[in-house]
């Protein structure tokens, strides 16, 4: 099992009672947080086979509170070295440990933002910039599964606002089906055309009929 870290933006701030309901629904591995712009989100750390799977499970549990829903999905800046390896996709956690300790690379790996209880949290923005400039890595800006989940959540919200949710679900179902079907075409059999005198060739002799 992999532990995934992500955040789910909410449409509003849940009350204390609603927060308890979310906790009882299974969101005890998520914490309600806010940003300076007034937005509110759940910071989640959940185990699962895939990131899309665990995001889906969180969205289902958010639905346990009436009139509370997700409006976006993203990833925070603070990461462990394991998180950094998963976001990078091309380096292992061991590789990041060696870079952080200076055993590999040019040195100067970003310092942790927080060190507590044997856990070090780094800034992904600082790590990704260092990897690009010092190591020449091609670092993805965002996990593609997070991008897909965010697009799906925002599409669902937009469809709900314009009262087109059922139609958009039907559209998605149709668009998700394979569009290229291998057609079975019978081989075309060309008729053999005998040359005629009109085509500039001598006409075949007529068979003689016995008297």
């Amino acid at each position: 099992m992999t532990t995934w870290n992500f955040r789910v933006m909410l449409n509003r701030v849940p009350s204390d009672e609603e927060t308890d309901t979310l906790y009882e629904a299974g969101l005890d591995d998520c914490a309600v947080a806010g940003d300076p712009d007034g937005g509110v989100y759940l910071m989640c750390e959940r185990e699962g086979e895939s990131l899309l799977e665990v995001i889906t499970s969180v969205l289902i549990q958010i639905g346990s509170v009436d009139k509370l829903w997700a409006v976006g999905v993203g990833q925070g800046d603070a990461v462990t070295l394991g998180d950094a390896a998963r976001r990078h996709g091309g380096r292992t956690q061991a590789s990041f440990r060696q870079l952080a300790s200076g055993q590999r690379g040019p040195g100067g790996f970003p310092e942790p933002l927080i060190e507590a209880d044997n856990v070090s949290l780094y800034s992904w923005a600082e790590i990704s910039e260092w990897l690009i400039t010092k190591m020449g890595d091609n670092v993805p800006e965002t996990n593609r599964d997070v991008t897909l989940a965010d697009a799906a959540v925002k599409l669902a919200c937009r469809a709900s606002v314009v009262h087109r949710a059922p139609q958009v679900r039907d559209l998605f179902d149709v668009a998700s089906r394979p569009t290229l079907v291998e057609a079975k075409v019978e081989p075309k059999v060309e008729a053999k055309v005998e040359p005629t005198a009109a085509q500039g060739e001598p006409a075949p002799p007529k068979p003689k009929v016995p008297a």
Side-chain angles (χ1 to χ4, degrees):
M1 285 283 188
T2 301
T3 300
W4 305 96
N5 293 274
F6 57 95
R7 61 184 177 181
V8 177
M9 284 68 83
L10 302 174
N11 64 313
R12 62 175 177 81
V13 179
S15 66
D16 291 343
E17 183 179 349
E18 290 173 334
T19 301
D20 291 340
T21 301
L22 293 174
Y23 185 90
E24 292 169 359
L27 290 167
D28 51 327
D29 51 3
C30 299
V32 179
D35 56 40
D37 297 329
V40 61
Y41 54 89
L42 293 175
M43 287 296 302
C44 301
E45 183 175 315
R46 179 165 293 192
E47 288 187 349
E49 295 295 335
S50 72
L51 180 53
L52 286 175
E53 174 189 284
V54 297
I55 290 175
T56 300
S57 66
V58 168
L59 297 181
I60 292 172
Q61 291 165 346
I62 290 173
S64 62
V65 173
D66 188 35
K67 297 181 181 180
L68 182 70
W69 60 82
V71 296
V73 179
Q75 286 184 305
D77 182 56
V79 295
T80 64
L81 294 179
D83 297 333
R86 285 187 287 274
R87 291 198 189 184
H88 186 283
R91 289 185 179 275
T92 64
Q93 185 173 349
S95 172
F96 272 97
R97 282 200 212 97
Q98 291 173 332
L99 292 173
S101 65
Q103 295 177 343
R104 293 182 60 187
F109 191 86
E111 294 294 325
L113 299 173
I114 301 173
E115 288 186 286
D117 298 328
N118 297 321
V119 176
S120 298
L121 291 178
Y122 298 79
S123 165
W124 174 245
E126 293 179 1
I127 289 178
S128 59
E129 182 181 0
W130 184 87
L131 289 170
I132 293 169
T133 58
K134 302 298 183 181
M135 301 295 294
D137 285 12
N138 183 16
V139 180
E141 293 184 2
T142 309
N143 185 298
R144 62 183 179 181
D145 285 350
V146 170
T147 302
L148 286 171
D150 185 58
V153 166
K154 287 178 177 174
L155 174 61
C157 289
R158 181 59 182 164
S160 179
V161 167
V162 298
H163 308 291
R164 293 292 186 275
Q167 293 89 337
V168 170
R169 279 196 296 269
D170 292 342
L171 177 63
F172 181 80
D173 288 341
V174 172
S176 300
R177 297 171 188 167
T179 55
L180 297 178
V181 179
E182 189 174 333
K184 294 183 179 180
V185 180
E186 295 295 332
K188 186 181 293 184
V189 179
E190 296 184 359
K192 186 177 182 180
V193 179
E194 296 292 339
T196 64
Q199 295 172 316
E201 295 291 339
K206 295 182 178 180
K208 292 182 179 181
V209 179

